[in-house]
Amino acid sequence: MRILVSNPDTIGDVVLREPMFRALLDAGHELALVVRPLVEPVARVMAPEATIIELPLNVYDGRVEADDERLDTVAESAAAFEPDVFIGAPFTWTVLEERLGSELPDARRLGQAGGKFVDPWHGRDVEGLLPFTEVVRVNEDLHELRKSEALARATLGESVHLPNPRLALPAELRDTADALLSGIGLERGAFLAACVGHHEHTAIRNWALERWANVLAHWMERYQRPVLLIGAEDEAEAARHVGDMLEARGLEPRHWFGGPEGDTLRLAALLEASRGYVGKDTGPMHIAAALGKPVLAVFGGGTWPRFRPLVSPSVAITLAVPCSPCDWRCDQRRSRCVKDVPVSAVIEQVDRLESGAVDGALVEQIQPSRAALVDIASDAAQAARRYKVELSVMRRTLASTKETHEEQARRNAMSESAVLQRLEKLERVIEQSSQANRQADQRASEVTQKLTQNTQALQQARQELAQAVRRAETADERSARLEQEIQNLRQQLGKATGELEQARTQRDEARVRHGELGSQLERMQAERDSAEREAAGLRAKYAGVDLKKLHENLAAARKTLGIVQGEKHDLTLQTQRLLQERRAMEKLADQRLVAIQTLEHKLGELLASRWRQMGQRMRVAMVLPWEEAERKRLLGHTGNGQHAKH
């Protein structure tokens, strides 16, 4: 079979699909991969036998539609491959899968049941049609490798167990890495590769820079491990800040950063030459794991635990907050799931890795404190109230904008109709004048040759005038062009009059017709002046109307509606989780109340026991202080009651 796989994601997602690619190729099938430019070099190393189709844009931008012309070359290349099977690899399918599904109607189309991706900043009112003929249903929280396993099993129609991703680099890349390391004073296998920087869009997913500096300083000071700070060019500023903090403590980290899109293969070569990886959850982490390097990563809860490393040894540390996973649409004042991971917990795992105590892929989920849980609940409640108010305001704004737009549209329709009627009337008058002018030209053709030439020029000017009037789109343009053409006509008539005066004995009849033409032109001038006055009145009447602004407001309203719909969905999920936690707390409180009531009952039986009272009077059983106080209280009540009776 010929199998086409769409991979619109970044490096980590595609690296985790390497076992699926290998299983399809080993089964004897031809493979084509659609990948982004940043992923293309790694894809060629992972599957050198596969055909690579480059995806030139980010389809996770909600402003991109399935009919975007930039997807034309992708669709053409996919159709030219003539696949028998099309696999949409992401859990949530995008406009890329929607476009390829429509372009490959005869292929067997497989995808997952995650629905269409919705950009929270550029939402859509209506989702596209399902692009797959077969849907593989898996849990969203399942690890990405297991999702790929389910896709491979459905494609091949047999039981499949995928191993962990593996990546083997060409020998020339080892030489490139050795040259780079020699230039910055590091040795192969001796240093740690630390990816701890971020840019403005990924800062929410990264641990605090000061905490990274503390952990790296512990590693360098206690175990004498050199550190190479790595990452893309847009992460360099944050990573260098970590380096400055290390240098302030007398340590000397090294630096290497790729270009704006990253130098993926050289980065992979440096990771292959390292002792291990330490840093955030990102593409280089998955490359290091696929190269068999030990990994220590601090995770957040955005997509936990779908992308945790599987290599041995490895440690994935995160804070087990109740709002995870959120797909990094965080409603908290800060992303506590990653920002609040304690330094001591990470340093403890550093020591365990260095001592060889970590065996396998370890997951360390730290339980948040009660105060942190209270803060999370408080932030969630504030966000819910804020979204509720914003939703109400948006609804009122949309309703008001819709009414204003409809009213303005009605007014514009009325005004445009009146203008069009007037322009049609003016065009008919001009057409009649043009016909009269052509008749005058025909009669004047009997005069001298010079007069004939002038008359022909005049006729051509009139024809251009009629065409210009028909092409005009607004009253202003029609008036300006009409005035210009009339001035040209006057010039032509002046020249014709001079010629006619020189040959007056031969053009008596033409002079009469010329007078008639002058009268007709005067009527045209009067009509033009009237049209100009009417156009000025229309401009004054509708000076305040700004159609462009109305369209912009409508676009902004639609954009805001998409955002609100995405946020409403997230808020619904969070509310369901909070209700589940509330029911669990209420159940626990009921259980504790029953236990207290049971203890109170047993305590009453103990106090009322005659054998215990007799033993206490005989001084065989001990009388506890609280028992003596309780008995005195009871005797006091009994004595008062007897006294009242007597």
Side-chain angles (χ1 to χ4, degrees):
M1 292 189 300
R2 300 169 69 85
I3 302 175
L4 173 69
V5 184
S6 65
N7 302 272
D9 316 286
T10 51
I11 293 176
D13 305 72
V14 181
V15 169
L16 289 175
R17 294 174 192 144
E18 182 274 336
M20 179 179 71
F21 302 155
R22 180 52 50 195
L24 297 177
L25 289 169
D26 290 345
H29 304 298
E30 294 183 52
L31 190 64
L33 306 177
V34 181
V35 297
R36 293 164 68 172
L38 177 64
V39 185
E40 181 181 355
V42 178
R44 294 190 183 280
V45 171
M46 289 192 302
E49 310 94 327
T51 300
I52 303 298
I53 301 175
E54 183 175 311
L55 176 63
L57 71 162
N58 178 18
V59 294
Y60 288 102
D61 185 342
R63 295 166 294 187
V64 178
E65 299 289 354
D67 58 355
D68 194 301
E69 63 182 7
R70 292 172 292 179
L71 291 175
D72 292 347
T73 56
V74 179
E76 291 171 0
S77 299
F81 182 70
E82 298 181 350
D84 302 302
V85 179
F86 165 55
I87 301 176
F91 180 75
T92 54
W93 51 276
T94 67
V95 294
L96 172 63
E97 287 75 31
E98 185 177 348
R99 176 67 178 273
L100 294 180
S102 64
E103 296 282 348
L104 305 170
D106 299 329
R108 179 188 173 199
R109 305 188 298 276
L110 292 89
Q112 301 183 57
K116 184 177 180 180
F117 171 79
V118 177
D119 185 349
W121 301 111
H122 304 284
R124 290 289 182 269
D125 295 341
V126 181
E127 295 187 356
L129 298 176
L130 181 68
F132 309 118
T133 56
E134 298 178 40
V135 176
V136 179
R137 301 192 177 277
V138 293
N139 190 298
E140 183 177 5
D141 295 336
L142 194 67
H143 196 279
E144 291 300 297
L145 180 61
R146 303 281 78 86
K147 292 187 178 113
S148 298
E149 191 174 84
L151 285 173
R153 184 166 52 248
T155 304
L156 300 176
E158 60 186 29
S159 178
V160 175
H161 178 73
L162 299 181
N164 291 345
R166 302 296 298 174
L167 189 61
L169 300 180
E172 57 267 24
L173 286 177
R174 293 176 58 89
D175 298 335
T176 300
D178 290 338
L180 290 172
L181 295 175
S182 176
I184 57 179
L186 293 176
E187 296 180 0
R188 173 178 290 273
F191 66 95
L192 293 168
C195 187
V196 297
H198 59 254
H199 54 79
E200 58 178 340
H201 299 300
T202 59
I204 188 175
R205 309 183 185 189
N206 196 15
W207 204 25
L209 300 182
E210 297 78 9
R211 301 191 177 196
W212 279 126
N214 291 334
V215 169
L216 295 177
H218 173 80
W219 222 323
M220 298 175 75
E221 291 171 345
R222 181 167 181 176
Y223 300 103
Q224 305 301 311
R225 302 292 185 200
V227 168
L228 174 63
L229 299 174
I230 61 173
E233 186 180 61
D234 54 4
E235 299 173 342
E237 182 177 355
R240 286 195 172 95
H241 184 59
V242 175
D244 293 341
M245 287 186 280
L246 292 174
E247 290 176 358
R249 301 174 66 160
L251 304 171
E252 295 182 5
R254 305 296 195 273
H255 306 82
W256 182 88
F257 302 102
E261 288 292 334
D263 192 339
T264 312
L265 289 183
R266 285 202 293 175
L267 174 64
L270 291 173
L271 290 169
E272 194 271 339
S274 70
R275 180 181 180 87
Y277 173 93
V278 55
K280 61 181 182 178
D281 168 26
T282 187
M285 180 200 73
H286 293 289
I287 293 177
L291 290 168
K293 297 298 177 180
V295 170
L296 173 61
V298 178
F299 274 72
T303 54
W304 178 264
R306 295 164 51 192
F307 297 94
R308 62 182 180 85
L310 300 176
V311 67
S312 178
S314 64
V315 181
I317 308 175
T318 189
L319 201 66
V321 296
C323 52
S324 172
C326 66
D327 202 20
W328 293 114
R329 301 171 185 177
C330 185
D331 292 324
Q332 302 290 309
R333 285 171 291 177
R334 67 176 187 279
S335 50
R336 292 183 174 86
C337 55
V338 60
K339 295 291 192 281
D340 289 358
V341 172
V343 174
S344 58
V346 181
I347 289 179
E348 179 183 355
Q349 298 304 325
V350 169
D351 296 336
R352 296 190 63 209
L353 280 171
E354 285 289 344
S355 65
V358 177
D359 184 19
L362 176 65
V363 173
E364 183 71 12
Q365 285 188 284
I366 303 170
Q367 295 301 320
S369 64
R370 181 177 179 82
L373 292 175
V374 170
D375 288 341
I376 291 173
S378 175
D379 287 353
Q382 291 180 8
R385 289 192 293 270
R386 184 174 65 253
Y387 292 151
K388 184 176 181 181
V389 172
E390 291 177 355
L391 180 60
S392 176
V393 173
M394 291 300 176
R395 285 175 177 171
R396 290 197 298 269
T397 303
L398 286 174
S400 176
T401 303
K402 182 179 180 181
E403 293 176 358
T404 303
H405 180 69
E406 291 176 350
E407 179 64 24
Q408 191 62 50
R410 286 194 295 270
R411 293 179 179 176
N412 291 341
M414 295 174 60
S415 63
E416 290 175 2
S417 177
V419 171
L420 289 174
Q421 291 177 359
R422 181 59 182 169
L423 290 176
E424 289 175 357
K425 182 178 179 181
L426 182 60
E427 287 177 354
R428 287 195 299 270
V429 172
I430 293 174
E431 182 64 24
Q432 294 173 359
S433 300
S434 178
Q435 292 177 359
N437 289 336
R438 284 194 294 270
Q439 293 175 1
D441 291 339
Q442 291 175 0
R443 293 191 184 100
S445 62
E446 299 175 357
V447 194
T448 61
Q449 184 178 2
K450 186 63 176 178
L451 179 61
T452 302
Q453 295 176 354
N454 292 337
T455 304
Q456 291 175 352
L458 180 61
Q459 182 181 3
Q460 182 179 359
R462 291 194 187 99
Q463 292 175 353
E464 291 177 355
L465 173 61
Q467 294 174 358
V469 171
R470 286 193 294 269
R471 290 195 301 266
E473 297 179 352
T474 64
D476 291 340
E477 293 176 353
R478 293 179 187 273
S479 299
R481 293 180 183 179
L482 182 61
E483 183 178 3
Q484 182 63 37
E485 295 299 331
I486 289 175
Q487 290 176 356
N488 294 335
L489 287 173
R490 286 176 175 173
Q491 293 176 0
Q492 295 293 335
L493 287 174
K495 293 180 180 179
T497 302
E499 295 295 335
L500 287 172
E501 289 177 353
Q502 294 176 5
R504 68 174 61 93
T505 57
Q506 302 176 9
R507 297 177 298 171
D508 293 338
E509 186 179 354
R511 183 176 300 167
V512 173
R513 300 307 305 164
H514 181 270
E516 294 176 356
L517 179 60
S519 299
Q520 292 174 357
L521 289 175
E522 289 177 357
R523 288 196 298 272
M524 290 177 61
Q525 176 68 29
E527 291 174 355
R528 185 197 66 79
D529 295 339
S530 177
E532 184 175 8
R533 288 193 297 271
E534 185 175 356
L538 289 175
R539 287 196 298 271
K541 183 177 180 180
Y542 298 104
V545 176
D546 191 348
L547 291 178
K548 182 178 179 181
K549 185 175 181 181
L550 287 175
H551 286 300
E552 291 177 352
N553 292 341
L554 181 58
R558 288 177 177 170
K559 175 181 176 182
T560 305
L561 180 59
I563 296 172
V564 170
Q565 287 177 342
E567 292 174 346
K568 178 184 176 182
H569 176 69
D570 296 340
L571 182 58
T572 301
L573 295 179
Q574 293 177 5
T575 303
Q576 291 174 354
R577 292 196 185 103
L578 291 174
L579 289 174
Q580 291 174 358
E581 294 176 0
R582 177 182 176 182
R583 287 194 291 271
M585 294 297 291
E586 289 176 349
K587 184 177 179 181
L588 180 60
D590 292 341
Q591 292 174 354
R592 291 185 176 178
L593 180 59
V594 171
I596 291 172
Q597 291 175 349
T598 302
L599 290 175
E600 289 178 347
H601 178 69
K602 290 182 178 181
L603 178 61
E605 290 179 349
L606 180 61
L607 291 174
S609 173
R610 291 184 301 168
W611 294 106
R612 179 173 177 79
Q613 293 174 2
M614 184 180 294
Q616 289 175 345
R617 286 196 296 271
M618 296 176 64
R619 301 185 183 278
V620 176
M622 180 181 296
V623 179
L624 299 175
W626 59 269
E627 286 184 293
E628 185 65 27
E630 182 67 17
R631 287 177 180 173
K632 288 181 179 181
R633 184 180 64 81
L634 294 174
L635 288 174
H637 286 302
T638 303
N640 292 336
Q642 292 175 354
H643 179 73
K645 182 178 180 181
H646 288 301

